[in-house]
Amino acid sequence: MRVLGIETSCDETAAAVYDSERGLLAHRLYSQVELHAEYGGVVPELASRDHIRKLLPIVDEVLSESNSGPDDIDGIAYTAGPGLIGALMVGTSFGRSLAWSWGKPAVAVHHMEGHLLAPMLEDNPPPFPFVALLVSGGHSQLVDVRGVGDYRLMGESVDDAAGEAFDKTAKLLDLPYPGGPALSSLAESGRPDRYRFPRPMTDRPGLDMSFSGLKTFALNTLKDAIAQHGDPLPEQIRADIALAFEQALVETLAIKCRRAIRESGHQRLILAGGVSANTRLRSHMREIMEKEQIEVRYPRLEFCTDNGAMIAYAGWQRLRKGAHENLSFRPKPRWPLNE
Ligand code: KG4
Ligand code: ZN
């Protein structure tokens, strides 16, 4: 079975062709980073308009790279939510219309299910069951995964998502959008233990997370540092603060993952979503979980952040079970994973 996947939920236009026999045949991505950079964050209307401009050429490219014509494609998968409504409408209406004109089934894919299944694109996919830590710009979730479509939410962020906390704290540090990677590279030159941030919600039981306090803590730390060192802050102090923030966030996620693993009894942890591209998170999680004899897996870097391959793969998993949507399917900006 061969599936065309389409992703337009936020600021990346992406498409891919996945073949169940041969694996990933082609994938392309166009990032809108430059478009939104001057505004310091994603401008939804600009995102939608740019998806309209870029989607058709990108789909053309993956079709020709994979030598696929309409007859070779068995179904079309598109991200239907969660995400920005205008952006989702582009991929949904495009994917749905193309499927109709080709007489093929179309499936609506949940963006976070795409992230969750992204590690399956690797040569040696992790077997079920496992705990998945999904950390993106809009979500931080711990999910008990027993199979494709069998998801139980164990805990989630009650306020800012992990990626959102990265982005907002990066802004406070005058770093460019997208903040996560920028903050992380500034933190590389930080000196450990110069500042200490709290590990929110780790002193009480439960798997929910809260990261908005870290951003506030960063703001107060910056104010104190400016009072002490002057404005603008020396680069070294900014790096020290970035490192302290990153360490706190990563260690908090690790504490929650260890709890989730113990509660589930599973032997495997999957990291996915944009923040799983974070080097410190990947290495710290491996280190902590090794002590517990827990295997840690994450997608290759380009499949941590948004991409079309994960949507094509998740779509194939649904299509092979006979799922498809009728013409009236609407994008869902909010959409719980287990629905
Ligand atoms: O999954 P994703 O590409 O889009 C959403 O579904 O939201 O995640 C984007 C988020 C952003 O908040 C971005 O700052 C963060 O992932 N991110 C990172 C890194 N790369 C992307 N955060 C920390 N370190 C990184 N290396
Ligand atoms: Zn995403």
Side-chain angles (χ1 to χ4, degrees):
M1 199 182 237
R2 195 174 284 192
V3 181
L4 169 67
I6 291 168
E7 157 64 39
T8 65
S9 68
C10 189
D11 56 350
E12 257 108 26
T13 317
V17 175
Y18 180 82
D19 186 293
S20 54
E21 303 292 311
R22 294 169 52 205
L24 190 62
L25 300 183
H27 69 104
R28 277 276 198 288
L29 178 138
Y30 174 81
S31 166
Q32 301 179 349
V33 162
E34 277 175 31
L35 177 70
H36 301 295
E38 68 174 291
Y39 304 98
V42 180
V43 183
E45 182 59 23
L46 294 182
S48 317
R49 291 182 197 190
D50 208 50
H51 285 310
I52 294 173
R53 274 192 291 269
K54 300 293 178 353
L55 185 54
L56 187 54
I58 280 181
V59 166
D60 267 340
E61 282 176 30
V62 294
L63 289 175
S64 76
E65 195 186 321
S66 63
N67 277 322
S68 310
D71 292 342
D72 305 304
I73 298 290
D74 300 298
I76 297 177
Y78 53 88
T79 303
L84 302 170
I85 183 65
L88 290 167
M89 278 168 68
V90 178
T92 299
S93 41
F94 180 94
R96 200 66 204 75
S97 319
L98 188 62
W100 178 78
S101 68
W102 285 358
K104 304 288 163 137
V107 276
V109 170
H110 191 292
H111 181 78
M112 297 313 289
E113 182 177 28
H115 277 304
L116 193 158
L117 296 175
M120 300 294 176
L121 288 160
E122 304 306 328
D123 285 342
N124 175 25
F128 298 109
F130 51 73
V131 171
L133 172 69
L134 304 179
V135 270
S136 70
H139 296 80
S140 310
Q141 299 181 319
L142 277 160
V143 187
D144 180 343
V145 181
R146 286 161 193 261
V148 175
D150 189 352
Y151 312 129
R152 186 177 68 83
L153 186 65
M154 304 179 79
E156 64 184 330
S157 48
V158 295
D159 42 45
D160 293 355
E164 196 177 354
F166 261 107
D167 295 340
K168 288 179 173 171
T169 304
K171 224 175 201 174
L172 295 174
L173 285 160
D174 285 329
L175 293 166
Y177 152 88
L183 189 150
S184 181
S185 63
L186 176 63
E188 274 173 33
S189 49
R191 298 166 298 183
D193 305 321
R194 293 289 162 139
Y195 294 94
R196 179 154 177 100
F197 279 52
R199 274 64 177 151
M201 287 179 84
T202 53
D203 56 351
R204 60 186 115 150
L207 293 170
D208 283 342
M209 298 164 258
S210 163
F211 296 116
S212 70
L214 284 182
K215 167 198 66 194
T216 313
F217 198 88
L219 179 64
N220 293 333
T221 307
L222 276 166
K223 279 185 189 157
D224 292 348
I226 286 170
Q228 197 186 341
H229 302 280
D231 196 3
L233 269 182
E235 186 71 2
Q236 183 62 60
I237 304 293
R238 291 171 67 239
D240 294 343
I241 295 172
L243 176 60
F245 165 84
E246 189 178 48
Q247 271 178 331
L249 192 135
V250 162
E251 284 176 25
T252 303
L253 289 174
I255 292 167
K256 295 288 175 174
C257 285
R258 191 168 51 201
R259 263 185 215 170
I261 281 286
R262 285 178 182 164
E263 192 177 291
S264 68
H266 301 333
Q267 302 299 309
R268 197 167 289 107
L269 175 72
I270 297 298
L271 310 181
V275 181
S276 70
N278 184 271
T279 314
R280 190 173 304 277
L281 178 66
R282 290 159 89 105
S283 62
H284 183 72
M285 207 63 94
R286 276 250 156 96
E287 199 180 301
I288 294 293
M289 292 298 160
E290 224 160 60
K291 293 184 191 140
E292 313 264 318
Q293 272 134 32
I294 299 299
E295 185 193 12
V296 179
R297 299 272 198 103
Y298 29 71
R300 74 186 87 158
L301 281 177
E302 61 184 332
F303 295 156
C304 287
T305 42
D306 292 349
N307 64 85
M310 67 184 195
I311 303 304
Y313 181 87
W316 165 62
Q317 288 286 0
R318 305 210 43 228
L319 278 164
R320 69 200 282 230
K321 291 182 181 160
H324 65 271
E325 263 67 51
N326 62 34
L327 278 173
S328 65
F329 191 86
R330 287 189 190 159
K332 297 183 189 175
R334 287 170 188 278
W335 185 6
L337 180 62
N338 38 5
E339 238 174 44

